[in-house]
Amino acid sequence: LEFARGTQEQQHVSDLESLVDEIDSRYQRLGKALQRTRGNVPLLALAPLSVRRAITNLIDNALRHACGPIEIETRTEGGDAVIEVRDRGPGIPADEAERLKQPFTRLDPARSGGGSGLGLAIVERVARAHGGRLDLQQREGGGLVARLILGRAADA
């Protein structure tokens, strides 16, 4: 419902690394195989609940569609904060990446696992609200790289 209403959470200077560490710890307690790489991202203005939801959506998608450990990396590129979630699942066709960011869109209903088709649309909305974007790319060796970019970490 929040997605449909377009409700926006207030942004404030926050520690993205600590936020991702908390998310990682939660999944570890649930017995999920995650591998975390910290990149020492500086403090930045963000809406913590929205960013948490976006990262969780990416991890849940990876866990649903992939086998083996899911890799989560944070880093800074050109002043932007980057969170990558990498898996070794079937990936998605390159020509479907943009379509899958639209609300209520799924790649293949037969293998969707019952999702609503809102997960990536929410991530895309959160990225744009933070001056960034969501990139979905084929991973070398198989799988998917979901890259959530939050704009201008250095300016916070």
Side-chain angles (χ1 to χ4, degrees), residues 10-83:
Q10 202 64 353
Q11 293 185 12
H12 53 86
V13 176
S14 301
D15 183 351
L16 179 66
E17 295 290 0
S18 293
L19 177 71
V20 176
D21 287 344
E22 290 170 16
I23 294 168
D24 178 50
S25 293
R26 184 177 138 250
Y27 281 99
Q28 297 294 340
R29 285 191 307 274
L30 294 172
K32 304 299 181 187
L34 302 179
Q35 296 176 346
R36 168 85 164 98
T37 303
R38 291 179 115 253
N40 296 317
V41 174
L43 297 178
L44 68 152
L46 57 85
L49 293 176
S50 296
V51 171
R52 178 185 304 276
R53 180 180 307 132
I55 295 168
T56 300
N57 285 355
L58 294 176
I59 294 169
D60 287 346
N61 280 349
L63 290 169
R64 184 178 303 118
H65 298 291
C67 58
I70 306 304
E71 299 171 19
I72 305 163
E73 179 181 355
T74 50
R75 66 178 180 277
T76 304
E77 283 182 7
D80 294 335
V82 177
I83 304 103

Side-chain angles (χ1 to χ4, degrees), residues 87-109:
D87 67 51
R88 290 291 182 195
I92 58 171
D95 61 344
E96 292 286 331
E98 289 305 312
R99 184 181 73 82
L100 290 172
K101 296 177 194 178
Q102 300 305 309
F104 307 108
T105 304
R106 295 182 286 172
L107 184 60
D108 178 2

